Amino acid sequence: MTKSLVALLFLVQIGWIVAATEANAHYRTCYRPDPPYCIDGYGTFDNDWSFQSCKSEVERYVADMNEYSSCIVRQTKKEISEVEDETSRTIEKFNCNARGEIFCP
């Protein structure tokens, strides 16, 4: 096998890694909260109770969105680490094959 063909196969394999990662991105375990209904439905607050109730919902929403954001960061870091590990293993295997070794785990 020529070195240019080997290099091409290596690039195709890297492309598969990226495609697989993108395909799995929609399986995240992070939950994105919906905004509270009170911000769209009330317009103005009729009384203190409706104001306090909506305020409480907005505060809960903000806390949930902060957790959602943190979850996305954690998940993305995990996925990046997995891609980097797989890329390193692929390069190691390629280099092993390029050295002409018979067994490349």
Side-chain angles (χ1 to χ4, degrees), residues 66-84:
N66 286 333
E67 176 53 35
Y68 173 67
S69 178
S70 296
C71 180
I72 290 173
V73 168
R74 286 189 306 272
Q75 185 68 32
T76 302
K77 285 181 179 179
K78 179 182 174 195
E79 289 177 15
I80 289 169
S81 178
E82 290 170 358
V83 167
E84 289 172 343

Side-chain angles (χ1 to χ4, degrees), residues 24-73:
N24 289 328
H26 68 279
Y27 290 111
R28 294 186 178 175
T29 57
C30 303
Y31 165 74
R32 183 180 183 138
D34 293 323
Y37 294 113
C38 67
I39 60 169
D40 290 328
Y42 293 142
T44 61
F45 301 107
D46 295 333
N47 53 43
D48 189 55
W49 180 87
S50 63
F51 170 79
Q52 293 298 333
S53 177
C54 189
K55 179 182 175 194
S56 177
E57 289 180 40
V58 170
E59 289 169 345
R60 187 171 35 255
Y61 171 75
V62 169
D64 290 347
M65 284 298 279
N66 286 333
E67 176 53 35
Y68 173 67
S69 178
S70 296
C71 180
I72 290 173
V73 168

Side-chain angles (χ1 to χ4, degrees), residues 1-17:
M1 190 179 309
T2 66
K3 287 188 180 193
S4 61
L5 180 57
V6 170
L8 176 62
L9 291 174
F10 174 72
L11 292 176
V12 168
Q13 193 170 24
I14 293 297
W16 288 338
I17 293 169

